[in-house]
Amino acid sequence: MQVWIYLHFPALQLDALYSDESDKPLAIVESTRFKVVQCNTLAEEQGIQHGMGLGSASALCHQLQVHPYDEKIEQQTLHDIAQWLYMVTSDIALFPPQGLLLKATDMLSLYGGLETYWQRVSQHLNQLGFRYFYSSGFSPFSAMLLAKSGRALLSQDKTQIRNTINHFPLTATELEDKQVENLSRVGVNTLQDLLSLPMQDIARRFDIELVNYVGRLLGQFKHPIEFYHPPEKFHSYLELLFDIESIQW
């Protein structure tokens, strides 16, 4: 069985740029819909939640500091994390803007097992101070589903992983909203409902994208993955959040 570990960083921009500003409530807002996409602990204590409108958030907390969401910052940070992890593991794939996929299969013999491997990876990753969720899976999509849902599952037991993902609603998967809506109309609302259907019926009643998703989720279809390779030349950029008073710095 192939072993994959997915890392999901739900507040990557916030952690990358504003981790030192933990003494004030702070939120990252998506500029087109004016929705909160990330917030720190102080903001959460004021009742601010992911997906909340900016108006409601401001009404709850008048001292709220607001910054616009920038996907490019997260993508660059994701590259930095991948380069950092490359020191302890190979076969890393980027899923911008907030995800990394690790193919653990070939590393288990080197580290002596999944738990020892994850201990080494997590210790190295924790030095960066980013918040993240993780999970293992027998396919990239299974690991991704569990990690994004906050399940810290570390297992090579395919039956256990399969039983765990069965209970998830289709809204938690990578399926498009239109596909989820079409499935809901015929009474298919959970992965257990979907996976109980024969593949032939899925192919006949729905589109090929759904067939591909099910096949890749179950590990029956090959999932094309483009692995990360460190660049020959290293370049790093940090935007300062305040003016420098001494040119010697």
Side-chain angles (χ1 to χ4, degrees), residues 16-224:
L17 295 184
Y18 309 106
S19 59
D20 293 336
E21 299 186 39
S22 57
D23 59 338
K24 61 187 73 172
L26 191 149
I28 305 295
V29 175
E30 204 276 318
S31 302
T32 57
R33 297 176 299 145
F34 297 101
K35 298 286 186 181
V36 174
V37 293
Q38 299 171 27
C39 58
N40 65 1
T41 303
L42 283 180
E44 291 175 349
E45 291 174 353
Q46 298 291 326
I48 296 172
Q49 301 176 354
H50 182 277
M52 180 178 288
L54 179 58
S56 300
S58 300
L60 284 173
C61 180
H62 299 295
Q63 295 80 30
L64 183 66
Q65 302 287 319
V66 176
H67 298 276
Y69 174 68
D70 190 338
E71 186 174 323
K72 292 182 180 179
I73 292 175
E74 293 202 319
Q75 290 181 345
Q76 180 57 54
T77 305
L78 205 62
H79 274 86
D80 295 341
I81 297 173
Q83 185 151 330
W84 176 252
L85 287 178
Y86 202 80
M87 299 172 65
V88 296
T89 185
S90 60
D91 295 339
I92 305 171
L94 279 70
F95 282 74
Q98 295 180 326
L100 287 177
L101 179 69
L102 311 180
K103 184 180 179 183
T105 312
D106 300 332
M107 305 297 297
L108 300 187
S109 58
L110 175 64
Y111 284 98
L114 180 58
E115 298 220 356
T116 310
Y117 165 72
W118 172 244
Q119 183 180 23
R120 182 69 182 95
V121 171
S122 59
Q123 286 176 348
H124 192 67
L125 178 59
N126 291 341
Q127 296 180 52
L128 298 180
F130 296 130
R131 289 171 286 176
Y132 64 91
F133 299 113
Y134 72 91
S135 182
S136 63
F138 54 79
S139 67
F141 274 150
S142 64
M144 185 183 301
L145 173 65
L146 291 166
K148 286 188 173 183
S149 301
R151 299 292 183 93
L153 180 62
L154 199 65
S155 173
Q156 292 178 264
D157 187 335
K158 188 172 183 177
T159 302
Q160 180 189 10
I161 298 171
R162 175 71 182 268
N163 290 338
T164 304
I165 67 175
N166 275 343
H167 302 291
F168 281 93
L170 295 182
T171 52
T173 68
E174 299 301 305
L175 293 174
E176 296 180 358
D177 293 340
K178 185 177 180 181
Q179 292 174 312
V180 174
E181 183 180 347
N182 291 338
L183 288 165
S184 179
R185 289 175 181 171
V186 295
V188 179
N189 297 299
T190 67
L191 272 174
Q192 187 169 20
D193 297 334
L194 178 60
L195 299 180
S196 65
L197 299 175
M199 192 70 81
Q200 295 82 355
D201 288 353
I202 297 176
R204 179 170 52 85
R205 299 174 63 182
F206 303 99
D207 54 35
I208 190 63
E209 285 79 10
L210 182 59
V211 175
N212 285 333
Y213 176 80
V214 172
R216 291 173 180 175
L217 175 68
L218 296 177
Q220 297 173 352
F221 293 178
K222 182 177 176 59
H223 194 143

Side-chain angles (χ1 to χ4, degrees), residues 3-21:
V3 181
W4 303 85
I5 294 179
Y6 191 82
L7 305 172
H8 176 60
F9 301 88
L12 199 50
Q13 179 179 343
L14 188 68
D15 292 343
L17 295 184
Y18 309 106
S19 59
D20 293 336
E21 299 186 39

